[in-house]
Structures are given as C-alpha cells and as structure tokens.
Amino acid sequence: MAFRTDILTWSKGDLMETYWKVFFKRQNTTSGWKRDLYTVFLNRSARKHGGYIGKDAYLASRLRLPHGLHGIYISRYAKIGKDCWVYQNVTIGEVNGKAPTIGDDCLIGAGAVLVGDITIGDRVKIGAGALVCQDVPSDSTVVSQPAKILPKKKEAE
C-alpha cells in the first residue's frame, strides 16, 4: 500500500524530497541527455506545484520553501546561497540575461520581487511585497516599494 501511495504522490508532483534529489543530480551532471531527462521531470513536478526554477539556476543547498513552489519563479541565471528561505509568489527575475546573486541565510518574504544584476548579501531579510532592484549589503532588512534598506541595529554593549 505504501508503494501505491508513493506512486500517486509522485504522479501529482507533491513529493518535494524527490524534486530536490533530482535537482541536484541535474546540477551536477555533465551528460547532455541525462540533464535533459532530469529537466523533463523537474519541469513536470514544478508545474504541478505552480512554480519554476530555471534549468541553469545555481543553488548552493536546498531552498527552504514553507509553502512549496507555489508561485515561485527563479531565473535560470540566478545564484542562491545556502540555507535561504523563500516564501510563496516570489520572483527572482532577470534583466538582459542577468539575475540576482543571493548570499547565505537570507529570507525572502511572500510576493517579493528581485530583478536585475544585483547582489544580495548574507543574512538579508527581504520583506513581503518588496521590490528590489539594487544591491543590498549583508545583515540588512529590505522593506517597501521602492525598496528601502534599513540600517543594521547596533548591539547593546
């Protein structure tokens, strides 16, 4: 019975564990036909989830997706660091073939849009609905449209 459940779950595209295993196999393969086969599976699975991660997008580790791939678009030119949280309806888009480079331990809130050849530092928090089209230094928080960078809080001594 468990095998049947696993097959049904896979056929609906609800198995994110499998998605990530295949994603990193594709990212690490050099064989053209294997890469194409992995891409077919990933596109099918992502479409079931309502999202898209470009075939050449570089992810240093598995993204943390609390709501699955729902509404998430990540450009094929994007580079994303380790342990990043990405909420629903986020767009990491490209302009003229250039997409954001995102550091480690970042949080990108629901509905945020990051576009262009920009660099997002480490440990950055991007608030829900923010539109980011400029570089953001590490340890910053970004809110609002247009984006405003809030200075880092100084630690009490």
Side-chain angles (χ1 to χ4, degrees), residues 46-140:
R47 187 175 170 106
K48 293 281 185 182
H49 285 283
Y52 172 80
I53 299 178
K55 68 175 185 153
D56 294 326
Y58 174 77
L59 306 180
S61 70
R62 176 189 307 196
L63 291 178
R64 296 178 186 200
L65 306 170
H67 301 285
L69 276 175
H70 299 292
I72 294 175
Y73 171 84
I74 299 176
S75 167
R76 63 184 178 165
Y77 301 111
K79 294 180 182 81
I80 301 176
K82 295 179 183 176
D83 300 322
C84 290
W85 288 76
V86 179
Y87 285 81
Q88 72 273 19
N89 298 324
V90 167
T91 299
I92 301 173
E94 64 197 62
V95 174
N96 298 326
K98 307 267 185 177
T101 299
I102 300 170
D104 298 336
D105 300 311
C106 292
L107 181 143
I108 304 172
V113 177
L114 293 72
V115 292
D117 187 17
I118 60 173
T119 301
I120 308 297
D122 295 336
R123 298 167 304 283
V124 170
K125 294 177 186 167
I126 298 175
L131 172 61
V132 183
C133 50
Q134 62 184 3
D135 290 349
V136 178
S138 293
D139 301 303
S140 299

Coordinates of all heavy atoms in Angstrom, one line a residue, residues 46-140:
A46 N 7.6 20.8 -11.0 CA 7.4 22.2 -10.7 C 6.1 22.8 -11.2 O 5.4 23.5 -10.5 CB 8.6 23.0 -11.2
R47 N 5.7 22.3 -12.3 CA 4.4 22.8 -12.9 C 3.2 22.3 -12.0 O 2.3 23.1 -11.8 CB 4.3 22.2 -14.3 CG 3.1 22.8 -15.0 CD 3.1 22.2 -16.5 NE 1.9 22.5 -17.1 CZ 1.7 23.4 -18.1 NH1 2.7 24.2 -18.4 NH2 0.6 23.6 -18.6
K48 N 3.3 21.1 -11.5 CA 2.3 20.6 -10.6 C 2.3 21.5 -9.3 O 1.2 21.7 -8.7 CB 2.6 19.2 -10.2 CG 2.4 18.2 -11.3 CD 1.0 17.9 -11.5 CE 0.9 16.8 -12.6 NZ -0.5 16.6 -12.9
H49 N 3.4 22.0 -8.9 CA 3.5 22.8 -7.7 C 3.2 24.3 -8.0 O 3.0 25.1 -7.1 CB 4.9 22.8 -7.1 CG 5.1 21.5 -6.3 ND1 4.6 21.2 -5.1 CD2 5.8 20.4 -6.7 CE1 5.0 20.0 -4.7 NE2 5.7 19.5 -5.7
G50 N 3.1 24.7 -9.3 CA 2.8 26.0 -9.7 C 4.0 27.0 -9.6 O 3.8 28.2 -9.4
G51 N 5.2 26.5 -9.8 CA 6.4 27.3 -9.7 C 7.4 26.9 -10.8 O 7.1 26.0 -11.6
Y52 N 8.5 27.6 -10.8 CA 9.6 27.3 -11.8 C 10.9 27.7 -11.2 O 11.1 28.8 -10.6 CB 9.3 28.2 -13.0 CG 10.4 28.2 -14.1 CD1 10.5 27.1 -15.0 CD2 11.3 29.2 -14.2 CE1 11.5 27.1 -15.9 CE2 12.3 29.2 -15.1 CZ 12.4 28.1 -16.0 OH 13.4 28.0 -16.9
I53 N 11.9 26.8 -11.4 CA 13.3 27.1 -11.1 C 14.0 26.8 -12.4 O 14.0 25.7 -12.9 CB 13.8 26.2 -10.0 CG1 13.0 26.5 -8.7 CG2 15.3 26.5 -9.8 CD1 13.5 25.6 -7.5
G54 N 14.7 27.8 -12.9 CA 15.4 27.7 -14.2 C 16.4 26.6 -14.2 O 17.0 26.3 -13.2
K55 N 16.6 26.0 -15.4 CA 17.5 24.9 -15.5 C 19.0 25.2 -15.2 O 19.7 24.3 -14.9 CB 17.4 24.2 -16.9 CG 17.9 25.0 -18.0 CD 17.8 24.3 -19.3 CE 18.5 25.1 -20.4 NZ 19.0 24.2 -21.5
D56 N 19.4 26.4 -15.4 CA 20.8 26.7 -15.1 C 20.9 27.5 -13.8 O 22.0 28.0 -13.5 CB 21.4 27.5 -16.2 CG 21.5 26.7 -17.5 OD1 21.8 25.5 -17.4 OD2 21.4 27.2 -18.6
A57 N 19.8 27.6 -13.0 CA 19.9 28.3 -11.7 C 20.9 27.5 -10.8 O 20.8 26.3 -10.7 CB 18.5 28.4 -11.1
Y58 N 21.7 28.3 -10.1 CA 22.7 27.6 -9.2 C 22.1 27.8 -7.7 O 21.9 28.9 -7.3 CB 24.1 28.2 -9.3 CG 25.0 27.6 -8.2 CD1 25.5 26.4 -8.4 CD2 25.3 28.3 -7.1 CE1 26.3 25.8 -7.4 CE2 26.1 27.8 -6.1 CZ 26.6 26.5 -6.2 OH 27.4 26.0 -5.3
L59 N 22.0 26.7 -7.0 CA 21.6 26.7 -5.6 C 22.6 26.0 -4.8 O 23.0 24.8 -5.1 CB 20.2 25.9 -5.4 CG 19.1 26.4 -6.3 CD1 17.8 25.6 -6.0 CD2 18.8 27.9 -6.1
A60 N 23.2 26.7 -3.8 CA 24.3 26.1 -3.0 C 23.7 24.9 -2.2 O 24.5 24.0 -1.8 CB 24.9 27.1 -2.2
S61 N 22.5 25.0 -1.8 CA 21.8 24.0 -1.0 C 20.3 24.0 -1.3 O 19.9 24.9 -1.9 CB 22.1 24.1 0.5 OG 21.5 25.2 1.0
R62 N 19.6 23.1 -0.7 CA 18.2 23.0 -0.9 C 17.5 24.3 -0.3 O 17.8 24.7 0.8 CB 17.7 21.8 -0.2 CG 16.2 21.7 -0.2 CD 15.7 20.6 0.7 NE 16.4 19.3 0.4 CZ 16.0 18.1 0.9 NH1 14.9 18.1 1.6 NH2 16.6 17.0 0.6
L63 N 16.7 24.9 -1.1 CA 15.9 26.1 -0.6 C 14.9 25.6 0.4 O 14.4 24.5 0.4 CB 15.2 26.8 -1.7 CG 16.0 27.5 -2.8 CD1 15.0 28.1 -3.8 CD2 16.8 28.6 -2.1
R64 N 14.6 26.4 1.4 CA 13.6 26.1 2.4 C 12.3 26.8 1.8 O 12.3 28.1 1.8 CB 14.0 26.6 3.7 CG 15.2 25.9 4.2 CD 15.6 26.4 5.6 NE 16.9 25.7 6.0 CZ 17.3 25.7 7.2 NH1 16.6 26.2 8.2 NH2 18.4 25.1 7.5
L65 N 11.4 26.1 1.5 CA 10.1 26.6 0.9 C 8.9 26.2 1.7 O 8.3 25.1 1.6 CB 9.9 26.0 -0.5 CG 11.1 26.1 -1.5 CD1 10.9 25.3 -2.8 CD2 11.3 27.6 -1.9
P66 N 8.6 27.0 2.7 CA 7.5 26.7 3.6 C 6.2 26.4 2.9 O 5.3 25.7 3.5 CB 7.4 27.9 4.5 CG 8.6 28.7 4.4 CD 9.2 28.3 3.0
H67 N 5.9 27.0 1.8 CA 4.7 26.8 1.0 C 4.9 26.0 -0.3 O 4.1 26.2 -1.2 CB 4.0 28.2 0.8 CG 3.8 28.9 2.0 ND1 2.7 28.6 2.9 CD2 4.4 30.0 2.6 CE1 2.7 29.4 3.9 NE2 3.7 30.2 3.8
G68 N 6.0 25.3 -0.4 CA 6.3 24.6 -1.6 C 6.7 25.6 -2.7 O 7.0 26.7 -2.4
L69 N 6.6 25.2 -3.9 CA 7.0 26.0 -5.1 C 5.8 27.0 -5.5 O 5.9 27.6 -6.6 CB 7.4 25.2 -6.3 CG 8.8 24.6 -6.3 CD1 9.0 23.7 -7.5 CD2 9.8 25.7 -6.4
H70 N 4.8 27.1 -4.8 CA 3.6 27.8 -5.2 C 3.9 29.3 -5.6 O 4.3 30.1 -4.8 CB 2.5 27.8 -4.1 CG 2.1 26.4 -3.8 ND1 1.4 25.7 -4.7 CD2 2.3 25.6 -2.7 CE1 1.1 24.5 -4.2 NE2 1.7 24.4 -3.0
G71 N 3.8 29.5 -6.9 CA 4.0 30.9 -7.4 C 5.5 31.4 -7.5 O 5.7 32.5 -7.8
I72 N 6.4 30.5 -7.2 CA 7.8 31.0 -7.2 C 8.4 30.9 -8.6 O 8.3 29.8 -9.2 CB 8.6 30.1 -6.2 CG1 8.2 30.4 -4.8 CG2 10.1 30.4 -6.3 CD1 8.8 29.5 -3.7
Y73 N 9.1 31.9 -9.0 CA 9.8 31.9 -10.3 C 11.2 32.3 -10.0 O 11.5 33.4 -9.4 CB 9.2 33.0 -11.3 CG 10.1 33.1 -12.5 CD1 9.9 32.2 -13.5 CD2 11.0 34.1 -12.5 CE1 10.8 32.4 -14.7 CE2 11.9 34.2 -13.6 CZ 11.7 33.4 -14.7 OH 12.5 33.5 -15.8
I74 N 12.2 31.4 -10.4 CA 13.6 31.7 -10.2 C 14.3 31.6 -11.5 O 14.2 30.5 -12.2 CB 14.2 30.7 -9.2 CG1 13.6 30.9 -7.8 CG2 15.7 31.0 -9.1 CD1 14.1 29.9 -6.7
S75 N 14.9 32.7 -12.0 CA 15.5 32.7 -13.3 C 16.6 31.7 -13.4 O 17.3 31.3 -12.4 CB 16.1 34.1 -13.5 OG 17.0 34.1 -14.6
R76 N 16.8 31.3 -14.6 CA 17.9 30.3 -14.9 C 19.3 30.9 -14.6 O 20.3 30.2 -14.5 CB 17.8 29.8 -16.3 CG 18.0 30.8 -17.4 CD 17.8 30.2 -18.7 NE 18.0 31.3 -19.7 CZ 18.2 31.0 -21.0 NH1 18.2 29.7 -21.4 NH2 18.3 32.0 -21.9
Y77 N 19.4 32.2 -14.5 CA 20.7 32.9 -14.3 C 20.9 33.2 -12.8 O 22.0 33.7 -12.5 CB 20.8 34.2 -15.1 CG 20.6 34.0 -16.6 CD1 19.5 34.5 -17.2 CD2 21.6 33.3 -17.3 CE1 19.3 34.3 -18.6 CE2 21.4 33.1 -18.7 CZ 20.3 33.6 -19.3 OH 20.1 33.5 -20.7
A78 N 20.0 32.9 -12.0 CA 20.1 33.2 -10.5 C 21.1 32.3 -9.8 O 21.3 31.2 -10.2 CB 18.7 33.1 -9.9
K79 N 21.7 32.9 -8.8 CA 22.7 32.2 -7.9 C 22.2 32.4 -6.5 O 22.1 33.5 -6.1 CB 24.1 32.6 -8.1 CG 24.6 32.4 -9.5 CD 26.1 32.9 -9.6 CE 26.6 32.6 -11.0 NZ 26.2 33.6 -12.0
I80 N 21.9 31.3 -5.8 CA 21.4 31.4 -4.4 C 22.2 30.6 -3.5 O 22.5 29.5 -3.7 CB 19.9 30.9 -4.4 CG1 19.1 31.8 -5.4 CG2 19.3 31.0 -3.0 CD1 17.6 31.3 -5.5
G81 N 22.6 31.3 -2.4 CA 23.5 30.7 -1.4 C 22.8 29.6 -0.5 O 21.6 29.2 -0.8
K82 N 23.5 29.2 0.6 CA 23.0 28.2 1.4 C 21.9 28.7 2.4 O 21.9 29.8 2.8 CB 24.1 27.6 2.3 CG 25.2 27.0 1.5 CD 26.3 26.5 2.4 CE 27.4 25.9 1.5 NZ 28.6 25.5 2.3
D83 N 21.0 27.7 2.8 CA 20.0 27.9 3.8 C 19.1 29.2 3.6 O 18.9 29.9 4.6 CB 20.7 28.0 5.2 CG 21.5 26.7 5.5 OD1 20.9 25.6 5.1 OD2 22.5 26.7 6.1
C84 N 18.7 29.4 2.4 CA 17.8 30.5 2.2 C 16.3 30.1 2.3 O 16.0 29.0 1.8 CB 18.0 31.1 0.8 SG 19.6 32.0 0.7
W85 N 15.5 31.0 2.8 CA 14.1 30.7 2.9 C 13.4 31.6 1.9 O 13.6 32.8 1.7 CB 13.5 31.2 4.3 CG 13.9 30.3 5.4 CD1 15.2 30.3 6.0 CD2 13.1 29.4 6.1 NE1 15.2 29.3 7.0 CE2 13.9 28.8 7.1 CE3 11.8 29.0 6.0 CZ2 13.4 27.8 8.0 CZ3 11.3 28.0 6.8 CH2 12.1 27.4 7.8
V86 N 12.5 30.9 1.1 CA 11.8 31.6 0.0 C 10.3 31.3 0.2 O 9.9 30.2 0.2 CB 12.2 31.2 -1.4 CG1 11.5 31.9 -2.4 CG2 13.7 31.5 -1.5
Y87 N 9.5 32.3 0.4 CA 8.1 32.2 0.6 C 7.3 32.2 -0.7 O 7.9 32.4 -1.7 CB 7.5 33.2 1.6 CG 7.9 32.8 3.1 CD1 9.2 33.1 3.6 CD2 7.0 32.2 3.9 CE1 9.6 32.8 4.8 CE2 7.4 31.8 5.2 CZ 8.7 32.1 5.6 OH 9.0 31.8 6.9
Q88 N 6.0 32.1 -0.7 CA 5.2 31.9 -1.9 C 5.2 33.2 -2.7 O 5.4 34.3 -2.2 CB 3.8 31.5 -1.6 CG 2.9 32.6 -0.9 CD 3.0 32.6 0.6 OE1 4.0 32.1 1.2 NE2 2.1 33.3 1.2
N89 N 5.0 33.0 -4.0 CA 4.8 34.1 -5.0 C 6.0 35.0 -5.1 O 5.9 36.2 -5.4 CB 3.6 34.9 -4.7 CG 2.3 34.1 -4.8 OD1 2.2 33.2 -5.7 ND2 1.4 34.4 -3.9
V90 N 7.2 34.5 -4.9 CA 8.5 35.3 -5.0 C 9.0 35.2 -6.5 O 8.9 34.1 -7.1 CB 9.5 34.8 -4.1 CG1 10.9 35.3 -4.4 CG2 9.1 35.1 -2.6
T91 N 9.4 36.3 -7.0 CA 10.1 36.3 -8.3 C 11.5 36.7 -8.2 O 11.8 37.8 -7.7 CB 9.3 37.3 -9.3 OG1 8.0 36.9 -9.4 CG2 10.0 37.4 -10.6
I92 N 12.4 35.9 -8.7 CA 13.8 36.2 -8.8 C 14.1 36.3 -10.3 O 14.4 35.2 -10.9 CB 14.7 35.2 -8.0 CG1 14.3 35.2 -6.5 CG2 16.2 35.6 -8.2 CD1 15.0 34.2 -5.7
G93 N 14.0 37.4 -10.9 CA 14.0 37.5 -12.3 C 15.2 38.1 -12.9 O 16.1 38.6 -12.2
E94 N 15.3 38.1 -14.2 CA 16.4 38.5 -15.0 C 16.1 39.8 -15.8 O 15.0 40.0 -16.2 CB 16.9 37.4 -15.9 CG 15.9 37.1 -17.0 CD 16.1 35.8 -17.6 OE1 16.1 34.8 -16.9 OE2 16.3 35.8 -18.8
V95 N 17.1 40.5 -16.0 CA 17.1 41.7 -17.0 C 18.3 41.5 -17.9 O 19.4 41.5 -17.4 CB 17.1 43.0 -16.2 CG1 17.1 44.2 -17.2 CG2 15.9 43.2 -15.3
N96 N 18.1 41.4 -19.2 CA 19.1 41.2 -20.2 C 20.1 40.1 -19.8 O 21.3 40.2 -19.9 CB 19.9 42.5 -20.3 CG 19.1 43.6 -20.8 OD1 18.2 43.4 -21.6 ND2 19.4 44.8 -20.4
G97 N 19.5 39.0 -19.4 CA 20.3 37.8 -19.1 C 21.1 37.9 -17.8 O 22.0 37.0 -17.5
K98 N 20.8 38.8 -16.9 CA 21.5 39.0 -15.6 C 20.4 38.9 -14.5 O 19.4 39.5 -14.6 CB 22.1 40.3 -15.5 CG 23.1 40.7 -16.7 CD 24.5 40.3 -16.3 CE 25.4 40.7 -17.5 NZ 26.7 40.5 -17.3
A99 N 20.7 38.0 -13.5 CA 19.8 37.8 -12.4 C 20.5 38.0 -11.1 O 21.7 38.0 -11.1 CB 19.2 36.4 -12.5
P100 N 19.8 38.1 -10.0 CA 20.4 38.4 -8.7 C 21.3 37.2 -8.2 O 21.1 36.1 -8.6 CB 19.2 38.5 -7.8 CG 18.0 38.9 -8.7 CD 18.3 38.2 -10.0
T101 N 22.3 37.6 -7.5 CA 23.1 36.7 -6.7 C 22.8 36.9 -5.3 O 22.9 38.0 -4.7 CB 24.6 37.0 -7.0 OG1 24.9 36.8 -8.4 CG2 25.5 36.1 -6.2
I102 N 22.3 35.9 -4.6 CA 21.8 36.0 -3.3 C 22.7 35.2 -2.3 O 23.1 34.1 -2.6 CB 20.4 35.4 -3.2 CG1 19.5 36.2 -4.1 CG2 19.8 35.4 -1.8 CD1 18.1 35.6 -4.3
G103 N 23.1 35.8 -1.2 CA 24.0 35.2 -0.3 C 23.4 34.1 0.6 O 22.3 33.7 0.4
D104 N 24.1 33.7 1.6 CA 23.7 32.7 2.5 C 22.7 33.2 3.6 O 22.8 34.4 4.0 CB 24.9 32.0 3.2 CG 25.9 31.4 2.2 OD1 25.4 31.0 1.1 OD2 27.1 31.3 2.6
D105 N 21.9 32.3 4.1 CA 21.0 32.6 5.2 C 20.1 33.8 5.0 O 19.8 34.5 5.9 CB 21.8 32.8 6.5 CG 22.6 31.6 6.9 OD1 22.1 30.5 6.9 OD2 23.8 31.7 7.2
C106 N 19.5 33.9 3.8 CA 18.6 35.0 3.5 C 17.2 34.5 3.6 O 16.9 33.4 3.5 CB 18.8 35.5 2.1 SG 20.4 36.4 1.9
L107 N 16.3 35.5 3.9 CA 14.9 35.2 4.0 C 14.2 36.2 3.0 O 14.4 37.4 3.0 CB 14.3 35.5 5.4 CG 12.8 35.2 5.6 CD1 12.6 34.7 6.9 CD2 12.0 36.5 5.4
I108 N 13.4 35.6 2.1 CA 12.7 36.4 1.1 C 11.2 36.2 1.3 O 10.7 35.1 1.1 CB 13.1 36.0 -0.4 CG1 14.6 36.1 -0.5 CG2 12.4 36.8 -1.4 CD1 15.2 35.5 -1.8
G109 N 10.5 37.3 1.7 CA 9.1 37.2 2.1 C 8.2 37.1 0.9 O 8.5 37.3 -0.2
A110 N 6.9 36.7 1.2 CA 5.9 36.4 0.2 C 5.7 37.6 -0.7 O 5.6 38.8 -0.3 CB 4.6 36.1 0.9
G111 N 5.7 37.3 -2.0 CA 5.4 38.3 -3.0 C 6.5 39.3 -3.3 O 6.4 40.2 -4.1
A112 N 7.7 39.0 -2.8 CA 8.9 39.9 -3.1 C 9.3 39.7 -4.5 O 9.2 38.6 -5.1 CB 10.0 39.6 -2.1
V113 N 9.9 40.8 -5.1 CA 10.4 40.7 -6.5 C 11.8 41.2 -6.5 O 12.1 42.3 -6.0 CB 9.5 41.5 -7.4 CG1 10.1 41.5 -8.8 CG2 8.1 41.1 -7.4
L114 N 12.8 40.4 -6.9 CA 14.2 40.7 -7.1 C 14.5 40.6 -8.5 O 14.4 39.5 -9.1 CB 15.1 39.8 -6.2 CG 15.0 39.8 -4.7 CD1 13.7 39.2 -4.2 CD2 16.1 39.1 -4.1
V115 N 15.0 41.7 -9.1 CA 15.3 41.7 -10.6 C 16.6 42.3 -10.9 O 17.0 43.3 -10.2 CB 14.2 42.3 -11.4 CG1 12.9 41.5 -11.3 CG2 13.9 43.7 -11.0
G116 N 17.2 41.9 -11.9 CA 18.4 42.5 -12.5 C 19.7 42.0 -11.9 O 19.7 41.0 -11.2
D117 N 20.8 42.6 -12.3 CA 22.1 42.2 -12.0 C 22.5 42.8 -10.6 O 23.2 43.8 -10.5 CB 23.1 42.6 -13.1 CG 24.5 42.1 -12.8 OD1 24.7 41.2 -12.0 OD2 25.5 42.7 -13.5
I118 N 21.9 42.2 -9.6 CA 22.1 42.8 -8.2 C 22.7 41.7 -7.3 O 22.6 40.5 -7.6 CB 20.8 43.3 -7.6 CG1 19.8 42.2 -7.5 CG2 20.3 44.5 -8.4 CD1 18.5 42.6 -6.7
T119 N 23.3 42.1 -6.2 CA 23.9 41.2 -5.3 C 23.2 41.5 -3.9 O 23.1 42.6 -3.4 CB 25.4 41.5 -5.1 OG1 26.0 41.3 -6.4 CG2 26.0 40.5 -4.1
I120 N 22.7 40.4 -3.4 CA 22.1 40.4 -2.0 C 23.1 39.8 -1.1 O 23.5 38.6 -1.3 CB 20.7 39.6 -2.0 CG1 19.8 40.1 -3.2 CG2 20.1 39.7 -0.7 CD1 19.4 41.5 -3.1
G121 N 23.5 40.5 0.0 CA 24.5 40.0 0.9 C 24.0 38.8 1.7 O 22.8 38.4 1.6
D122 N 24.8 38.4 2.7 CA 24.4 37.3 3.6 C 23.5 37.8 4.7 O 23.6 39.0 5.1 CB 25.7 36.7 4.2 CG 26.6 36.0 3.2 OD1 26.1 35.6 2.1 OD2 27.8 35.9 3.5
R123 N 22.6 36.9 5.2 CA 21.7 37.2 6.3 C 20.8 38.4 6.0 O 20.5 39.1 7.0 CB 22.5 37.3 7.6 CG 23.3 36.1 8.0 CD 24.3 36.3 9.1 NE 25.3 37.3 8.8 CZ 26.3 37.2 8.0 NH1 26.6 36.0 7.4 NH2 27.2 38.2 7.8
V124 N 20.4 38.6 4.8 CA 19.5 39.7 4.5 C 18.0 39.2 4.6 O 17.7 38.1 4.3 CB 19.7 40.2 3.0 CG1 18.7 41.1 2.6 CG2 21.1 40.8 3.0
K125 N 17.2 40.0 5.1 CA 15.7 39.8 5.2 C 15.0 40.7 4.3 O 15.2 41.9 4.4 CB 15.2 40.0 6.6 CG 15.8 39.0 7.6 CD 15.3 39.3 9.0 CE 16.1 38.4 10.0 NZ 15.9 38.8 11.4
I126 N 14.3 40.1 3.3 CA 13.5 40.9 2.4 C 12.1 40.8 2.7 O 11.5 39.7 2.7 CB 13.8 40.5 0.9 CG1 15.3 40.7 0.7 CG2 13.0 41.3 0.0 CD1 15.8 40.2 -0.7
G127 N 11.4 41.9 3.0 CA 10.0 41.8 3.5 C 9.0 41.5 2.4 O 9.3 41.6 1.2
A128 N 7.8 41.1 2.8 CA 6.8 40.7 1.8 C 6.5 41.9 0.9 O 6.3 43.0 1.4 CB 5.6 40.2 2.6
G129 N 6.4 41.6 -0.3 CA 6.0 42.6 -1.3 C 7.0 43.6 -1.7 O 6.8 44.5 -2.4
A130 N 8.3 43.4 -1.2 CA 9.3 44.4 -1.6 C 9.8 44.2 -3.0 O 9.8 43.1 -3.5 CB 10.5 44.2 -0.6
L131 N 10.1 45.3 -3.6 CA 10.6 45.3 -5.0 C 12.1 45.7 -4.9 O 12.4 46.8 -4.5 CB 9.9 46.3 -5.9 CG 10.5 46.6 -7.3 CD1 10.5 45.3 -8.1 CD2 9.7 47.6 -8.0
V132 N 13.0 44.8 -5.2 CA 14.4 45.0 -5.0 C 15.1 45.0 -6.4 O 15.1 44.0 -7.1 CB 15.1 44.0 -4.1 CG1 16.5 44.3 -3.8 CG2 14.3 43.9 -2.8
C133 N 15.8 46.2 -6.7 CA 16.5 46.3 -8.0 C 17.8 47.0 -7.8 O 18.3 47.6 -8.7 CB 15.6 46.9 -9.1 SG 14.9 48.4 -8.6
Q134 N 18.3 46.9 -6.5 CA 19.7 47.5 -6.2 C 20.4 46.6 -5.3 O 19.7 45.8 -4.6 CB 19.5 48.9 -5.6 CG 18.8 48.9 -4.3 CD 18.6 50.4 -3.8 OE1 19.0 51.3 -4.5 NE2 18.0 50.5 -2.7
D135 N 21.7 46.7 -5.2 CA 22.5 45.8 -4.3 C 22.0 46.1 -2.8 O 21.7 47.2 -2.4 CB 24.0 46.1 -4.4 CG 24.5 45.6 -5.7 OD1 23.8 44.9 -6.5 OD2 25.7 46.0 -6.1
V136 N 22.1 45.0 -2.0 CA 21.8 45.1 -0.6 C 22.9 44.5 0.2 O 23.4 43.4 -0.1 CB 20.5 44.2 -0.3 CG1 20.2 44.3 1.2 CG2 19.3 44.7 -1.2
P137 N 23.5 45.3 1.1 CA 24.6 44.8 1.9 C 24.2 43.7 2.9 O 23.0 43.6 3.3 CB 25.1 46.1 2.7 CG 23.9 47.0 2.7 CD 23.1 46.7 1.5
S138 N 25.2 43.0 3.4 CA 24.9 41.9 4.4 C 24.3 42.4 5.6 O 24.5 43.6 6.0 CB 26.2 41.2 4.7 OG 26.7 40.5 3.6
D139 N 23.5 41.6 6.3 CA 22.9 41.9 7.6 C 21.9 43.1 7.5 O 21.8 43.8 8.5 CB 24.0 42.2 8.7 CG 24.9 41.0 8.9 OD1 24.4 39.9 9.2 OD2 26.1 41.2 8.7
S140 N 21.2 43.2 6.4 CA 20.3 44.3 6.2 C 18.9 43.7 6.2 O 18.6 42.5 6.0 CB 20.5 45.1 4.9 OG 21.8 45.7 5.0

